Amino acid sequence: MNDSVDKLVIFLAKRDGIDKLVKTFQYVSKLVHWHAEAARPDVARRAKNWEVASGLSRKAFRTGRFLTGFNSLRRSPGATPAVRLLGVLANAGEMVYFFFDHFLWLSRIGTLDAGLARRMSFVSAFGEAFGYIFFIVMDFIMLKEGLKLERKLRKEKEKEAKEDVEAKERVAKIRADRVMRLMAVAANVADLVIAVADIEPNPFCNHAVTLGISGLVSAWAGWYRNWPS
């Protein structure tokens, strides 16, 4: 598949694809608001409206997303006991995040009591941060395993002193998986920063530039991972 328009259509047909596009809008508008706030308040106000609308739209798109974590545990719990445990903890955190995010969305649009928003935001962000920590640990474990396997295949290839097409394909697959996992780590670390800003507000994490860059890193890593090959 070499046609860029075809790839874009397939990408935007995915829930994760449209989420990453709207996430890009959300955090670009956050940076525009920060940049224009002092000099051009009218532009800043419009950018803020765009940011809020994008954030609420993303919450609507994520309806029922908490079931993804449950299905991941049901279908592929992990190859080893350690990975299975990490998978349970990571997906449990993500399920809490997406489940309580529903109530946060409903409270922000006025369907539920607006006073619930702060509490739902904290619980949702706590689950998000908890899950991302274990997803990051899992990815580093898998990256380490991939490097060990690649070294082993290279040594076998050197001993045989001949071209092994199957081994070459396995190495290429390991390298492609490594890139995807590094993208996942980048996205999860960026999202962890955003979650910490909700859980424990501080000058660094809550600065508009930190949040804006973190959001864009997460969005663009997601673009890369979800873009059709």
Side-chain angles (χ1 to χ4, degrees):
M1 186 192 297
N2 296 317
D3 191 291
S4 296
V5 175
D6 283 344
K7 289 183 177 181
L8 182 60
V9 169
I10 292 168
F11 176 77
L12 293 177
K14 299 178 183 178
R15 172 153 59 174
D16 279 347
I18 196 69
D19 179 68
K20 301 314 172 194
L21 176 62
V22 180
K23 190 171 190 175
T24 300
F25 295 158
Q26 181 181 358
Y27 288 98
V28 165
S29 58
K30 179 177 279 293
L31 291 172
V32 171
H33 173 263
W34 169 78
H35 182 72
E37 193 171 15
R40 304 187 66 183
D42 185 55
V43 172
R45 179 182 57 78
R46 294 182 186 188
K48 186 65 179 177
N49 290 341
W50 191 17
E51 179 194 345
V52 171
S54 298
L56 292 174
S57 297
R58 290 184 61 226
K59 292 184 187 304
F61 297 148
R62 294 198 295 255
T63 301
R65 180 70 184 276
F66 68 94
L67 292 171
T68 303
F70 174 73
N71 207 41
S72 295
L73 292 176
R74 197 166 65 96
R75 296 291 184 187
S76 53
T80 66
V83 172
R84 281 196 288 273
L85 176 61
L86 289 169
V88 168
L89 294 170
N91 283 287
E94 189 180 67
M95 286 164 68
V96 168
Y97 162 44
F98 286 125
F99 183 76
F100 283 94
D101 200 48
H102 296 349
F103 298 105
L104 174 58
W105 170 53
L106 291 171
S107 63
R108 284 191 172 161
I109 63 174
T111 304
L112 296 179
D113 183 2
L116 286 172
R118 184 59 209 147
R119 277 177 286 170
M120 295 300 102
S121 178
F122 179 86
V123 174
S124 178
F126 186 86
E128 180 183 19
F130 183 88
Y132 285 145
I133 288 167
F134 292 105
F135 277 126
I136 291 165
V137 172
M138 282 174 65
D139 279 323
F140 275 122
I141 289 172
M142 299 310 294
L143 284 166
K144 183 181 177 183
E145 291 298 315
L147 287 168
K148 284 168 64 177
L149 181 57
E150 185 179 346
R151 282 196 292 266
K152 181 182 175 183
L153 290 170
R154 279 182 173 179
K155 285 178 182 178
E156 288 175 357
K157 184 180 175 183
E158 288 169 3
K159 285 179 182 177
E160 292 176 3
K162 64 178 182 179
E163 188 71 18
D164 187 336
V165 176
E166 186 180 342
K168 192 174 180 181
E169 287 177 353
R170 287 181 70 189
V171 169
K173 190 175 178 181
I174 290 166
R175 288 177 176 174
D177 180 71
R178 184 182 306 146
V179 172
M180 289 299 186
R181 290 193 182 278
L182 288 171
M183 290 293 107
V185 169
N188 288 336
V189 169
D191 283 328
L192 181 59
V193 171
I194 296 170
V196 169
D198 263 341
I199 299 166
E200 191 65 40
N202 61 82
F204 174 74
C205 290
N206 289 79
H207 195 284
V209 174
T210 305
L211 290 171
I213 291 173
S214 297
L216 291 177
V217 167
S218 174
W220 293 341
W223 272 78
Y224 186 90
R225 293 172 67 206
N226 286 285
W227 191 257
S229 58

Short mmCIF file of all heavy atoms in Angstrom, two decimals, residues 192-225:
data_model
loop_
_atom_site.label_atom_id
_atom_site.label_comp_id
_atom_site.label_asym_id
_atom_site.label_seq_id
_atom_site.Cartn_x
_atom_site.Cartn_y
_atom_site.Cartn_z
N LEU A 192 2.42 10.18 30.99
CA LEU A 192 2.65 10.11 32.44
C LEU A 192 2.86 11.52 33.00
O LEU A 192 2.36 11.86 34.09
CB LEU A 192 3.85 9.22 32.73
CG LEU A 192 4.23 9.01 34.20
CD1 LEU A 192 3.08 8.37 34.98
CD2 LEU A 192 5.48 8.13 34.30
N VAL A 193 3.60 12.35 32.27
CA VAL A 193 3.82 13.75 32.69
C VAL A 193 2.48 14.48 32.79
O VAL A 193 2.21 15.20 33.76
CB VAL A 193 4.76 14.48 31.70
CG1 VAL A 193 4.82 15.98 32.00
CG2 VAL A 193 6.17 13.88 31.78
N ILE A 194 1.61 14.27 31.78
CA ILE A 194 0.30 14.92 31.78
C ILE A 194 -0.55 14.44 32.95
O ILE A 194 -1.25 15.22 33.60
CB ILE A 194 -0.42 14.66 30.44
CG1 ILE A 194 0.37 15.31 29.28
CG2 ILE A 194 -1.84 15.20 30.45
CD1 ILE A 194 -0.11 14.92 27.89
N ALA A 195 -0.48 13.13 33.24
CA ALA A 195 -1.24 12.57 34.36
C ALA A 195 -0.75 13.13 35.70
O ALA A 195 -1.56 13.46 36.57
CB ALA A 195 -1.14 11.05 34.35
N VAL A 196 0.57 13.24 35.85
CA VAL A 196 1.14 13.80 37.09
C VAL A 196 0.67 15.24 37.30
O VAL A 196 0.43 15.66 38.44
CB VAL A 196 2.69 13.72 37.07
CG1 VAL A 196 3.30 14.52 38.21
CG2 VAL A 196 3.14 12.26 37.16
N ALA A 197 0.52 15.98 36.21
CA ALA A 197 0.02 17.36 36.32
C ALA A 197 -1.38 17.41 36.94
O ALA A 197 -1.73 18.38 37.62
CB ALA A 197 0.00 18.01 34.93
N ASP A 198 -2.18 16.36 36.71
CA ASP A 198 -3.52 16.28 37.31
C ASP A 198 -3.47 15.78 38.75
O ASP A 198 -4.21 16.25 39.61
CB ASP A 198 -4.41 15.33 36.49
CG ASP A 198 -5.29 16.07 35.50
OD1 ASP A 198 -5.49 17.28 35.68
OD2 ASP A 198 -5.76 15.43 34.54
N ILE A 199 -2.59 14.81 39.01
CA ILE A 199 -2.53 14.19 40.34
C ILE A 199 -1.87 15.11 41.36
O ILE A 199 -2.38 15.31 42.47
CB ILE A 199 -1.75 12.86 40.27
CG1 ILE A 199 -2.45 11.87 39.33
CG2 ILE A 199 -1.61 12.24 41.67
CD1 ILE A 199 -1.59 10.69 38.95
N GLU A 200 -0.72 15.64 40.97
CA GLU A 200 0.08 16.48 41.89
C GLU A 200 0.55 17.71 41.14
O GLU A 200 1.68 17.75 40.63
CB GLU A 200 1.28 15.67 42.40
CG GLU A 200 2.05 16.32 43.54
CD GLU A 200 1.24 16.45 44.82
OE1 GLU A 200 0.49 15.52 45.17
OE2 GLU A 200 1.35 17.52 45.45
N PRO A 201 -0.30 18.74 41.01
CA PRO A 201 0.08 19.94 40.25
C PRO A 201 1.39 20.54 40.72
O PRO A 201 1.65 20.64 41.92
CB PRO A 201 -1.09 20.89 40.52
CG PRO A 201 -2.24 20.01 40.85
CD PRO A 201 -1.65 18.84 41.59
N ASN A 202 2.24 20.89 39.75
CA ASN A 202 3.53 21.51 40.07
C ASN A 202 3.93 22.40 38.90
O ASN A 202 3.42 22.24 37.78
CB ASN A 202 4.59 20.43 40.32
CG ASN A 202 4.83 19.54 39.12
OD1 ASN A 202 5.57 19.88 38.21
ND2 ASN A 202 4.17 18.37 39.09
N PRO A 203 4.83 23.37 39.14
CA PRO A 203 5.17 24.36 38.10
C PRO A 203 5.71 23.75 36.82
O PRO A 203 5.44 24.27 35.73
CB PRO A 203 6.23 25.24 38.78
CG PRO A 203 5.97 25.08 40.24
CD PRO A 203 5.48 23.68 40.43
N PHE A 204 6.45 22.65 36.92
CA PHE A 204 7.03 22.06 35.71
C PHE A 204 5.98 21.32 34.88
O PHE A 204 5.77 21.61 33.70
CB PHE A 204 8.18 21.11 36.06
CG PHE A 204 8.72 20.38 34.86
CD1 PHE A 204 9.51 21.04 33.92
CD2 PHE A 204 8.43 19.03 34.65
CE1 PHE A 204 10.00 20.37 32.80
CE2 PHE A 204 8.90 18.36 33.53
CZ PHE A 204 9.69 19.03 32.60
N CYS A 205 5.32 20.33 35.49
CA CYS A 205 4.35 19.51 34.75
C CYS A 205 3.16 20.31 34.26
O CYS A 205 2.58 20.01 33.22
CB CYS A 205 3.89 18.34 35.61
SG CYS A 205 5.15 17.09 35.90
N ASN A 206 2.76 21.32 35.02
CA ASN A 206 1.56 22.08 34.67
C ASN A 206 1.82 23.28 33.76
O ASN A 206 0.87 23.97 33.38
CB ASN A 206 0.84 22.56 35.94
CG ASN A 206 0.18 21.42 36.69
OD1 ASN A 206 0.84 20.67 37.40
ND2 ASN A 206 -1.11 21.25 36.51
N HIS A 207 3.08 23.52 33.43
CA HIS A 207 3.37 24.62 32.50
C HIS A 207 2.80 24.28 31.13
O HIS A 207 2.87 23.13 30.67
CB HIS A 207 4.89 24.84 32.41
CG HIS A 207 5.25 26.15 31.79
ND1 HIS A 207 5.16 26.38 30.43
CD2 HIS A 207 5.68 27.31 32.33
CE1 HIS A 207 5.53 27.62 30.16
NE2 HIS A 207 5.85 28.21 31.30
N ALA A 208 2.24 25.26 30.46
CA ALA A 208 1.60 25.04 29.15
C ALA A 208 2.55 24.44 28.13
O ALA A 208 2.15 23.59 27.32
CB ALA A 208 1.04 26.36 28.63
N VAL A 209 3.83 24.86 28.18
CA VAL A 209 4.80 24.33 27.21
C VAL A 209 5.08 22.85 27.49
O VAL A 209 5.14 22.03 26.57
CB VAL A 209 6.11 25.15 27.24
CG1 VAL A 209 7.17 24.51 26.36
CG2 VAL A 209 5.83 26.59 26.79
N THR A 210 5.24 22.49 28.77
CA THR A 210 5.47 21.09 29.13
C THR A 210 4.30 20.23 28.69
O THR A 210 4.47 19.17 28.08
CB THR A 210 5.67 20.94 30.66
OG1 THR A 210 6.72 21.79 31.09
CG2 THR A 210 5.99 19.50 31.03
N LEU A 211 3.08 20.69 29.01
CA LEU A 211 1.89 19.94 28.64
C LEU A 211 1.73 19.86 27.12
O LEU A 211 1.38 18.80 26.57
CB LEU A 211 0.65 20.57 29.27
CG LEU A 211 0.52 20.44 30.79
CD1 LEU A 211 -0.64 21.29 31.30
CD2 LEU A 211 0.31 18.98 31.20
N GLY A 212 1.97 20.99 26.45
CA GLY A 212 1.82 21.03 24.99
C GLY A 212 2.79 20.09 24.29
O GLY A 212 2.39 19.30 23.42
N ILE A 213 4.06 20.14 24.68
CA ILE A 213 5.08 19.28 24.06
C ILE A 213 4.80 17.81 24.39
O ILE A 213 4.89 16.94 23.52
CB ILE A 213 6.49 19.70 24.50
CG1 ILE A 213 6.83 21.07 23.89
CG2 ILE A 213 7.52 18.65 24.08
CD1 ILE A 213 8.13 21.66 24.39
N SER A 214 4.45 17.54 25.64
CA SER A 214 4.15 16.15 26.04
C SER A 214 2.98 15.60 25.25
O SER A 214 3.02 14.46 24.75
CB SER A 214 3.83 16.08 27.54
OG SER A 214 4.95 16.47 28.31
N GLY A 215 1.93 16.41 25.10
CA GLY A 215 0.77 15.97 24.34
C GLY A 215 1.10 15.68 22.89
O GLY A 215 0.63 14.70 22.30
N LEU A 216 1.94 16.54 22.28
CA LEU A 216 2.30 16.35 20.88
C LEU A 216 3.23 15.15 20.69
O LEU A 216 3.11 14.42 19.70
CB LEU A 216 2.95 17.61 20.32
CG LEU A 216 2.00 18.81 20.16
CD1 LEU A 216 2.75 20.04 19.68
CD2 LEU A 216 0.86 18.48 19.19
N VAL A 217 4.14 14.93 21.64
CA VAL A 217 5.01 13.74 21.57
C VAL A 217 4.15 12.48 21.60
O VAL A 217 4.32 11.55 20.80
CB VAL A 217 6.02 13.72 22.74
CG1 VAL A 217 6.70 12.35 22.87
CG2 VAL A 217 7.09 14.79 22.54
N SER A 218 3.19 12.44 22.53
CA SER A 218 2.29 11.30 22.65
C SER A 218 1.46 11.12 21.38
O SER A 218 1.33 10.00 20.85
CB SER A 218 1.37 11.48 23.85
OG SER A 218 0.40 10.47 23.90
N ALA A 219 0.91 12.22 20.87
CA ALA A 219 0.06 12.15 19.67
C ALA A 219 0.85 11.66 18.47
O ALA A 219 0.41 10.77 17.73
CB ALA A 219 -0.56 13.52 19.39
N TRP A 220 2.05 12.22 18.26
CA TRP A 220 2.82 11.88 17.07
C TRP A 220 3.43 10.49 17.15
O TRP A 220 3.59 9.82 16.13
CB TRP A 220 3.86 12.96 16.81
CG TRP A 220 3.20 14.26 16.41
CD1 TRP A 220 1.92 14.42 15.94
CD2 TRP A 220 3.75 15.58 16.47
NE1 TRP A 220 1.65 15.75 15.70
CE2 TRP A 220 2.76 16.50 16.02
CE3 TRP A 220 4.98 16.09 16.87
CZ2 TRP A 220 2.96 17.86 15.95
CZ3 TRP A 220 5.19 17.46 16.80
CH2 TRP A 220 4.20 18.34 16.34
N ALA A 221 3.77 10.03 18.36
CA ALA A 221 4.21 8.64 18.52
C ALA A 221 3.05 7.71 18.18
O ALA A 221 3.24 6.66 17.55
CB ALA A 221 4.69 8.40 19.95
N GLY A 222 1.83 8.11 18.58
CA GLY A 222 0.65 7.34 18.23
C GLY A 222 0.38 7.32 16.74
O GLY A 222 -0.04 6.31 16.17
N TRP A 223 0.60 8.47 16.08
CA TRP A 223 0.47 8.53 14.62
C TRP A 223 1.39 7.48 13.99
O TRP A 223 0.98 6.73 13.11
CB TRP A 223 0.90 9.91 14.11
CG TRP A 223 -0.17 10.95 14.06
CD1 TRP A 223 -0.65 11.66 15.11
CD2 TRP A 223 -0.88 11.41 12.91
NE1 TRP A 223 -1.61 12.56 14.68
CE2 TRP A 223 -1.79 12.42 13.34
CE3 TRP A 223 -0.86 11.07 11.56
CZ2 TRP A 223 -2.64 13.07 12.46
CZ3 TRP A 223 -1.71 11.74 10.68
CH2 TRP A 223 -2.59 12.73 11.14
N TYR A 224 2.63 7.44 14.43
CA TYR A 224 3.62 6.53 13.86
C TYR A 224 3.19 5.08 14.05
O TYR A 224 3.26 4.26 13.13
CB TYR A 224 4.98 6.76 14.50
CG TYR A 224 6.09 5.96 13.85
CD1 TYR A 224 6.81 6.48 12.79
CD2 TYR A 224 6.40 4.67 14.31
CE1 TYR A 224 7.82 5.74 12.17
CE2 TYR A 224 7.39 3.92 13.70
CZ TYR A 224 8.11 4.45 12.64
OH TYR A 224 9.09 3.71 12.04
N ARG A 225 2.73 4.76 15.26
CA ARG A 225 2.38 3.38 15.58
C ARG A 225 1.11 2.91 14.87
O ARG A 225 0.97 1.73 14.57
CB ARG A 225 2.19 3.23 17.09
CG ARG A 225 3.49 3.41 17.89
CD ARG A 225 3.21 3.45 19.38
NE ARG A 225 2.73 2.16 19.85
CZ ARG A 225 1.96 2.00 20.92
NH1 ARG A 225 1.57 3.04 21.62
NH2 ARG A 225 1.59 0.80 21.30
#
